[in-house]
Amino acid sequence: VEQSWRQWRDAQQALNAARAGEREREQALAAIEWQLEGIDALAPGEDEWQSLHDEQTRLAHGQRLIEAAGQISEALSGQEDSLRDRIESFISELRTCQRLDARLGEAIDMLDAARINVDESASFLAHYAQNGDLDPARLAQVEHRVGEWFAIARKLRIDPSELAGHARHLAAQRQQLEQAGDLAALSAAAQAAE
């Protein structure tokens, strides 16, 4: 009997609290819905912000990246007295000296590996420079999307990187408030406890 009375009392208290806090709950729900509408309209992906930020940085500095890749590729193997040419010269000199001391073979092997790495790096950078990413239309799209993120974040007074997590938090709060305000369920629980 005592347990039944406690269940009834607890259910009755929950129902009374829900009735008393209905206005506050409705205001809180309206504020959450307003925030979620903005975030839902943006539909932020979980890792989208970092991806947008990285792409914007790369596209905005595309010309500099292409020029640097081309210059370094040339310095590595494309111009006269390139690093590759100098390594070849060192290897040739060491091969001559190796006849006098075989232990220099290890240094020749290391320099040969370095020459291969220089060749591969030069090839990669030359390809990068030729196929560089100078796409003004894509840059405009990315900057527009970044602007949308900033607009919503500014409206909610949070950092853009926090939008996806904030949306999850708001959805959980909304669910809690909706459950707490379900007067019919609370009333049914109170009646069942009687």
Side-chain angles (χ1 to χ4, degrees):
V1 172
E2 185 177 329
Q3 184 179 6
S4 295
W5 179 81
R6 282 187 195 153
Q7 287 176 342
W8 173 82
R9 183 194 62 191
D10 291 345
Q12 200 62 41
Q13 285 176 346
L15 178 60
N16 290 339
R19 286 180 179 147
E22 184 65 20
R23 181 173 167 78
E24 291 174 11
R25 189 187 67 76
E26 286 177 4
Q27 289 174 341
L29 271 173
I32 288 171
E33 289 298 332
W34 175 79
Q35 292 181 59
L36 283 173
E37 282 177 14
I39 295 173
D40 289 345
L42 179 66
E46 192 62 38
D47 297 322
E48 183 184 4
W49 174 250
Q50 188 61 50
S51 175
L52 282 170
H53 182 268
D54 293 347
E55 186 176 9
Q56 180 190 29
T57 300
R58 182 177 45 77
L59 289 169
H61 299 283
Q63 187 63 41
R64 183 180 186 288
L65 293 170
I66 290 170
E67 288 172 2
Q71 289 170 352
I72 294 169
S73 174
E74 282 294 308
L76 290 174
S77 70
Q79 64 190 24
E80 197 171 306
D81 197 35
S82 68
L83 182 56
R84 184 190 195 289
D85 291 344
R86 295 180 75 195
I87 291 172
E88 283 287 336
S89 171
F90 299 151
I91 291 171
S92 177
E93 180 65 27
L94 283 174
R95 282 198 174 120
T96 302
C97 293
Q98 185 183 18
R99 291 183 207 137
L100 303 172
D101 188 348
R103 293 179 297 175
L104 292 174
E106 188 175 340
I108 293 170
D109 292 342
M110 288 187 280
L111 282 172
D112 195 41
R115 182 190 50 78
I116 291 168
N117 284 332
V118 165
D119 286 345
E120 289 176 0
S121 296
S123 176
F124 174 85
L125 291 170
H127 179 73
Y128 183 94
Q130 290 171 359
N131 300 305
D133 204 357
L134 290 179
D135 186 350
R138 178 65 184 151
L139 177 59
Q141 290 173 337
V142 170
E143 287 181 338
H144 177 74
R145 182 72 174 159
V146 166
E148 291 175 333
W149 276 72
F150 272 115
I152 296 297
R154 206 172 21 256
K155 183 176 165 183
L156 301 178
R157 296 184 178 153
I158 62 173
D159 189 80
S161 65
E162 299 171 0
L163 278 173
H166 189 62
R168 284 191 308 278
H169 175 72
L170 289 172
Q173 278 186 323
R174 176 179 58 192
Q175 184 179 9
Q176 288 174 343
L177 287 170
E178 287 171 345
Q179 289 172 347
D182 189 354
L183 294 176
L186 293 171
S187 182
Q191 287 178 352
E194 286 181 359

